Amino acid sequence: MWVPEPVGRGEKAGAEFGYVGVDSVLEQMRRKAMKQGFELNIMAVGQSGLGKSTLINTLFKSKVSRRSVKPDDEERIPKTIEIKSISHDIEEKGVRMKLTVIDTPGFGDQINNENCWQPIMKFINEQYEQYLQEEININRKKRIPDTRVHCCIYFIPPTGHCLRPIDIEFMRHLSKVVNIVPIIAKADTLTLEERDFFRQKIKEDLRANEIEVYPQKEFDEDAEDRVINDNIREKIPFAVVGSDQEYQVNGKRLLGRRTRWGTVEVENTAHCEFAYLRDLLIRTHMQNLKDITSSIHYEVYRVRRLNEDSTQTHDEEDGHPAVQANGIPAHDVLSHEM
């Protein structure tokens, strides 16, 4: 019987027979991904007047955010927090992406803002629940529509002092269920010294309240990731300026905000950190945001829900009413926090 000779140290098994083609799997994955397209769901949270719509439009260089047209007095300040979503199909160089922007008009605009984070938490959990119900169907869809929130951009007003109680309360609760990227909105209202001082105060407040914002240290996959993410963590919260207006600067058409002292160039990192935010959300970490949403935040929700369903089944068999472990009626979506 013929026995193949063992491959010598340092030699590749495929070298005897020539090219195998294993590396073509990357091209196969690329073709499949191009055919299916991509989905990204971004939530913008912050009080009125911080430029949420403008910033989202600037990020994607199109009119993708919901913007009220001549709102009446009742629409201008909603009595309760509303959650409004709008989806757009964006295509660039043959790559298609379905972008969903979730706006939260009314957040932080009331006299009493206690527990104003709860409707947003409820919305995020409802998306997890919707995905879970699709996932556990016997005849489930080949590709489950993904409405889970992949990233929440939190707009901090440029007070120059420290985080407000509403900022701390929101991020303390929501950072456990969604990827939060805090930004200093309308940063052109601060001097460079005020901006740096404000950033350090925000970092201190986040540490003091044990708030982990994206990218979270515990989710760094390797040393290379840690180096890249440490550099990002140094710059967070990004001090940004948004504008969908173009101006002529040194013979070039640039996005910016014109002031009496000159033009603030949105994509110039010497003027603001919008470019860092754009790179994080779109060019370097988009897939990672989706992966952490799916494998961490959604997985925590899924495990808890399935455990509670099991507990409910035993309770009902024992004659007890169907109540979830945290006391919420079975038909309600639980408040998912770790």
Side-chain angles (χ1 to χ4, degrees), residues 44-60:
V45 179
Q47 68 187 58
S48 299
L50 291 180
K52 298 190 295 294
S53 297
T54 302
L55 183 71
I56 296 295
N57 290 340
T58 311
L59 274 171
F60 296 95

Side-chain angles (χ1 to χ4, degrees), residues 71-88:
D72 57 33
D73 292 338
E74 288 188 7
E75 288 178 322
R76 196 179 296 277
I77 303 179
K79 293 180 181 178
T80 57
I81 296 173
E82 303 171 9
I83 311 289
K84 297 188 177 183
S85 302
I86 186 166
S87 296
H88 289 270

Side-chain angles (χ1 to χ4, degrees), residues 284-301:
T284 61
H285 284 64
M286 181 193 291
Q287 188 57 48
N288 186 252
L289 283 163
K290 297 176 68 173
D291 289 344
I292 288 180
T293 299
S294 180
S295 62
I296 306 293
H297 297 309
Y298 170 69
E299 192 63 19
V300 169
Y301 181 89

Side-chain angles (χ1 to χ4, degrees), residues 212-279:
E212 285 286 335
V213 297
Y214 184 85
Q216 303 92 328
K217 280 187 180 180
E218 59 183 307
F219 302 147
D220 291 346
E221 294 182 359
D222 51 39
E224 185 183 354
D225 266 3
R226 193 168 301 114
V227 170
I228 294 169
N229 290 341
D230 279 345
N231 187 38
I232 294 168
R233 284 187 279 263
E234 279 297 308
K235 296 182 175 71
I236 282 181
F238 299 121
V240 303
V241 177
S243 174
D244 45 18
Q245 300 293 317
E246 285 191 343
Y247 296 98
Q248 193 87 10
V249 180
N250 298 326
K252 296 180 181 177
R253 299 290 295 176
L254 301 171
L255 287 171
R257 283 172 58 86
R258 179 159 288 171
T259 70
R260 67 175 69 179
W261 301 279
T263 302
V264 180
E265 298 171 30
V266 167
E267 297 180 279
N268 185 341
T269 53
H271 292 194
C272 79
E273 293 162 348
F274 167 83
Y276 298 139
L277 174 66
R278 178 201 57 208
D279 289 353

Side-chain angles (χ1 to χ4, degrees), residues 53 56-58 60-66 86-88 90 99 101:
S53 297
I56 296 295
N57 290 340
T58 311
F60 296 95
K61 295 191 176 179
S62 15
K63 302 288 185 181
V64 295
S65 184
R66 181 197 64 82
I86 186 166
S87 296
H88 289 270
I90 298 175
L99 172 69
V101 177

Side-chain angles (χ1 to χ4, degrees), residues 44-47 50-52 55 153-157 164 167 183 185:
V45 179
Q47 68 187 58
L50 291 180
K52 298 190 295 294
L55 183 71
I153 305 176
Y154 187 72
F155 289 68
I156 300 169
R164 304 166 303 164
D167 302 325
I183 64 170

Side-chain angles (χ1 to χ4, degrees), residues 173-213:
H173 287 94
L174 273 292
S175 62
K176 298 170 184 177
V177 301
V178 70
N179 299 311
I180 291 185
V181 176
I183 64 170
I184 300 170
K186 295 195 169 182
D188 54 332
T189 61
L190 300 171
T191 65
L192 295 178
E193 292 77 16
E194 289 170 339
R195 183 193 299 178
D196 291 339
F197 173 79
F198 192 30
R199 193 199 316 276
Q200 292 309 313
K201 289 294 293 181
I202 290 171
K203 285 177 178 288
E204 290 171 14
D205 288 343
L206 292 175
R207 278 194 297 269
N209 291 278
E210 298 181 343
I211 297 169
E212 285 286 335
V213 297

Side-chain angles (χ1 to χ4, degrees), residues 6-175:
V7 178
R9 183 175 294 177
E11 295 180 17
K12 294 183 180 178
E16 295 180 11
F17 307 103
Y19 176 69
V20 176
V22 175
D23 59 347
S24 66
V25 71
L26 295 175
E27 178 60 22
Q28 295 171 41
M29 292 169 67
R30 190 192 72 83
R31 282 203 308 269
K32 184 177 180 181
M34 292 280 283
K35 199 176 292 183
Q36 289 181 341
F38 300 89
E39 295 173 322
L40 180 65
N41 307 320
I42 292 181
M43 175 178 274
V45 179
Q47 68 187 58
S48 299
L50 291 180
K52 298 190 295 294
S53 297
T54 302
L55 183 71
I56 296 295
N57 290 340
T58 311
L59 274 171
F60 296 95
K61 295 191 176 179
S62 15
K63 302 288 185 181
V64 295
S65 184
R66 181 197 64 82
R67 188 193 293 271
S68 299
V69 180
K70 294 183 180 178
D72 57 33
D73 292 338
E74 288 188 7
E75 288 178 322
R76 196 179 296 277
I77 303 179
K79 293 180 181 178
T80 57
I81 296 173
E82 303 171 9
I83 311 289
K84 297 188 177 183
S85 302
I86 186 166
S87 296
H88 289 270
D89 290 321
I90 298 175
E91 186 168 343
E92 185 178 58
K93 295 184 179 179
V95 178
R96 290 181 296 107
M97 184 177 74
K98 181 184 178 185
L99 172 69
T100 300
V101 177
I102 304 118
D103 197 3
T104 55
F107 176 84
D109 293 336
Q110 313 304 317
I111 295 174
N112 181 5
N113 288 304
E114 187 178 1
N115 297 328
C116 63
W117 52 270
Q118 288 182 345
I120 298 171
M121 171 82 82
K122 183 172 182 288
F123 176 85
I124 291 170
N125 286 334
E126 284 171 350
Q127 309 318 303
Y128 289 147
E129 181 69 17
Q130 186 176 317
Y131 195 91
L132 176 63
Q133 292 306 318
E134 289 283 356
E135 200 174 48
I136 62 179
N137 277 341
I138 295 174
N139 299 315
R140 62 183 180 184
K141 297 172 183 175
K142 187 176 179 182
R143 191 179 181 202
I144 300 173
D146 190 1
T147 61
R148 297 170 296 183
V149 180
H150 301 129
C151 176
C152 172
I153 305 176
Y154 187 72
F155 289 68
I156 300 169
T159 62
H161 303 297
C162 59
L163 289 177
R164 304 166 303 164
I166 186 177
D167 302 325
I168 294 170
E169 195 71 3
F170 177 87
M171 288 192 278
R172 190 169 63 82
H173 287 94
L174 273 292
S175 62

